[in-house]
Amino acid sequence: CKTSSCAASLTDGLLLESEYRSEKSLEELGKLVPPECHCVREGNLEHLLARELVPGDTVCLSVGERVPADLRLFESTDLSVDESSLTGETTPCSKYTYHQLPSTNGDMASRSNIAFMGTLVRCGKAKGIVIGTGENSEFGEVFKMMQAEEVRSPAGHLDVHLKINDNKLYHFTVYPNSKIYFSFSDPCNYHAPKTPLQKSMDLLGKQLSLYSFGIIGVIMLVGWLQGKRILDMFTIGVSLAVAAIPEGLPIVVTVTLALGVMRMVQKRAIVKKLPIVETLGCCNVICSDKTGTLTKNEMTVTQLFTSDGLHAEVTGVGYNGAGEVLLDGEVVHGFSCPSVSKVVEVGCVCNDSVIRNHALLGRPTEGALIALAMKMGLESLQQEYVRLEEHPFTSEQKWMAVRCVHRTLQDKPGVYFMKGAYEQVIRLCSSYNSRGSTLSLNHQQRELYQQQISYMGSAGLRVLAFASGAEMGNLTFLGLVGIIDPPRSGVKEAVGTLISSGVAIKMITGDSQETAVSIASRLGLYSKGCQCLSGDEVDRLDLQQLSNIIAVFYRASPRHKLKIVKSLQNIGAVVAMTGDGVNDAVALKAADIGVAMGQTGTDVCKEAADMILVDDDFQTIM
């Protein structure tokens, strides 16, 4: 008895300790996104908490701020918003103020006059009127989907739990005979689906009870037939029943799981519920979001091609100087290779973004160019030039140009630096740079550049062209760079290890097919001839038709992600879902184990998940 009391006390202590650590860690993670905003009320600019906003308020947005509510924009200056946490699209969306036709207002990505709550302002500034807060925003729609999540019971009937505004949990039970029963209960009485361990423990308990009572019944019957008193046999039967109950098993299981939670904490992973540790070990399918999970959601230059035919590879990921520029295996630094340096110089000077403490203020593509300059030790060039004139980037012209003069040569007329889409930049070029010399641009060179663009495009890269010169329309073409949001370091190795261990990996993203296939190919999830499905194709298929072989899904909305997870669970798979955005929250909730990113993950995502990776390290799942 004393031993059992000590074990129970130890178990309670471990549970309290792990829960306390988890809660404290979650509090710290919640501080990463301060819910504040700038609001105009009665003609005065006020600093308010986002929860104090009401429809009709006017909110001011600027670079680096998160949108505090759904806003209808009425004033916008070069506004670009990162909606990756909501849609999965890595490229920031340009926002405008003009009215949209109802026919083009259905798809979230097409609503260019709306700024959605929780998205990040990458460039420009704007003002908008609050049209949706809380559950009435697009974020709120995700919450509603989570609250209306379907839970299938092992008996074959369908349990639907729906929480309404009166805080009661309404319960609909649909049986195979098409009868529907309705009831309601308090939310605290709702029980989540059982984990594989809980199901195994339930089965073990039933089997032990069945076998024990069967054997005890036989023993009592034999004793009674031998003429022994029925009271004595009943006493023996009760003693055997008590002895057959493994009262120490729950304690041993709980202590073991608690130790597992503590080990996960050492690996920088927060586990909210003890049984989840065992569920992670039983998992045989992992569905993962791409943007911010398999990748870092930080655009990075990976390839550079100069106008005279030099091809350089760029290492490193993210908005920092970690990495190198390699030309034929040799490191290029500073002005050691003028052809490469000229491209980097234009990308650094013709740039409105800033990187501070590994955080970007501005456009992701411009951040990638600054990071490239940092890798070559040329980031100081941005401060060495004085800007005399600027042609800002617009979605119509698809290029940006500045006229600058070096601080030591301010009596000179200045030089134009230009970057943008190749088709637009090359129209304003009459020559190209070849090892320091300026040669006339001919058809052969244009064909060479077009081939290189096709090559980069097939690899899923976003291509930017660069030029410079004394006057617009008579510029010198300098080269191309390829930009992509590449996989995180260590993810490819982790994916390979999981696949070799028999775990299937599915990549589900809201990004385009080209980008999804490119990243999946780099990770070993996709090879030539494999099939991938779009969100629209997922809509047209039922749960049974969604093939278990398909590994890549693109243009997927929260609804599509939920359907994919359900289809895998429908064939008996134990499914883990990893993600960081609001668009992943519903699938995280529905999966057998939801895994959220701690640093880049949204609050909604962390709330829905069962486990949080503090360092955003995908390898922790192994």
Side-chain angles (χ1 to χ4, degrees), residues 210-286:
L210 179 63
Y211 296 148
S212 297
F213 284 117
I215 294 172
I216 290 168
V218 171
I219 292 174
M220 291 179 64
L221 179 62
V222 171
W224 179 69
L225 292 175
Q226 290 178 347
K228 295 184 179 181
R229 295 171 56 193
I230 189 67
L231 183 60
D232 292 339
M233 295 311 303
F234 177 75
T235 304
I236 292 171
V238 170
S239 301
L240 290 173
V242 171
I245 297 173
E247 67 272 9
L249 181 60
I251 297 173
V252 172
V253 171
T254 304
V255 171
T256 303
L257 291 177
L259 292 173
V261 169
M262 295 174 70
R263 286 186 180 179
M264 294 300 291
V265 169
Q266 293 174 359
K267 293 184 177 181
R268 308 287 289 165
I270 301 169
V271 178
K272 293 184 180 179
K273 303 172 186 176
L274 286 182
I276 293 302
V277 177
E278 188 271 344
T279 306
L280 185 61
C282 295
C283 174
N284 51 22
V285 178
I286 296 178

Side-chain angles (χ1 to χ4, degrees), residues 37-102:
C37 65
H38 295 90
C39 176
V40 178
R41 283 185 177 175
E42 298 180 355
N44 299 318
L45 183 64
E46 300 180 14
H47 192 68
L48 299 177
L49 294 176
R51 65 170 178 263
E52 297 176 0
L53 291 174
V54 295
D57 277 340
T58 298
V59 174
C60 299
L61 301 175
S62 58
V63 175
E65 294 183 346
R66 288 200 177 272
V67 181
D70 284 359
L71 307 176
R72 170 62 167 90
L73 303 174
F74 65 85
E75 186 178 305
S76 173
T77 305
D78 194 27
L79 183 66
S80 181
V81 179
D82 181 356
E83 297 181 345
S84 58
S85 65
L86 192 60
T87 65
E89 181 69 55
T90 54
T91 305
C93 301
S94 297
K95 296 293 183 178
Y96 309 97
T97 59
Y98 53 74
H99 178 71
Q100 284 191 265
L101 297 174

Side-chain angles (χ1 to χ4, degrees), residues 179-351:
K179 291 183 179 179
I180 300 177
Y181 296 89
F182 169 80
S183 64
F184 66 89
S185 59
D186 190 82
C188 62
N189 293 328
Y190 169 67
H191 299 286
K194 292 184 178 180
T195 66
L197 176 64
Q198 291 170 329
K199 292 177 182 178
S200 298
M201 293 289 288
D202 287 347
L203 179 61
L204 177 63
K206 291 177 182 178
Q207 290 177 339
L208 279 175
S209 300
L210 179 63
Y211 296 148
S212 297
F213 284 117
I215 294 172
I216 290 168
V218 171
I219 292 174
M220 291 179 64
L221 179 62
V222 171
W224 179 69
L225 292 175
Q226 290 178 347
K228 295 184 179 181
R229 295 171 56 193
I230 189 67
L231 183 60
D232 292 339
M233 295 311 303
F234 177 75
T235 304
I236 292 171
V238 170
S239 301
L240 290 173
V242 171
I245 297 173
E247 67 272 9
L249 181 60
I251 297 173
V252 172
V253 171
T254 304
V255 171
T256 303
L257 291 177
L259 292 173
V261 169
M262 295 174 70
R263 286 186 180 179
M264 294 300 291
V265 169
Q266 293 174 359
K267 293 184 177 181
R268 308 287 289 165
I270 301 169
V271 178
K272 293 184 180 179
K273 303 172 186 176
L274 286 182
I276 293 302
V277 177
E278 188 271 344
T279 306
L280 185 61
C282 295
C283 174
N284 51 22
V285 178
I286 296 178
C287 296
S288 180
D289 174 49
K290 178 188 73 69
T291 307
T293 306
L294 297 176
T295 67
K296 205 173 180 181
N297 197 17
E298 294 184 359
M299 301 300 283
T300 305
V301 175
T302 58
Q303 294 186 28
L304 187 151
F305 183 80
T306 66
S307 56
D308 49 3
L310 299 180
H311 189 280
E313 299 286 338
V314 185
T315 63
V317 178
Y319 303 131
N320 55 68
E324 298 173 329
V325 178
L326 303 174
L327 184 62
D328 296 328
E330 296 185 2
V331 178
V332 179
H333 197 268
F335 292 95
S336 60
C337 180
S339 296
V340 173
S341 302
K342 283 181 179 291
V343 174
V344 177
E345 180 182 32
V346 174
C348 186
V349 176
C350 185
N351 201 309

Side-chain angles (χ1 to χ4, degrees), residues 340-413:
V340 173
S341 302
K342 283 181 179 291
V343 174
V344 177
E345 180 182 32
V346 174
C348 186
V349 176
C350 185
N351 201 309
D352 289 328
S353 300
V354 178
I355 295 177
R356 292 176 185 163
N357 300 322
H358 304 299
L360 172 67
L361 297 176
R363 297 179 187 272
T365 50
E366 292 189 334
L369 297 175
I370 294 176
L372 173 63
M374 293 169 66
K375 292 170 186 177
M376 290 188 62
L378 299 176
E379 66 273 16
S380 61
L381 288 173
Q382 199 173 26
Q383 309 302 323
E384 293 180 10
Y385 283 87
V386 178
R387 189 173 293 187
L388 305 176
E389 182 185 350
E390 178 180 352
H391 298 273
F393 177 89
T394 66
S395 57
E396 289 80 18
Q397 68 183 23
K398 297 183 179 179
W399 57 265
M400 172 186 176
V402 294
R403 183 168 66 90
C404 300
V405 63
H406 199 276
R407 292 188 181 276
T408 60
L409 303 170
Q410 295 198 33
D411 57 333
K412 302 292 183 180

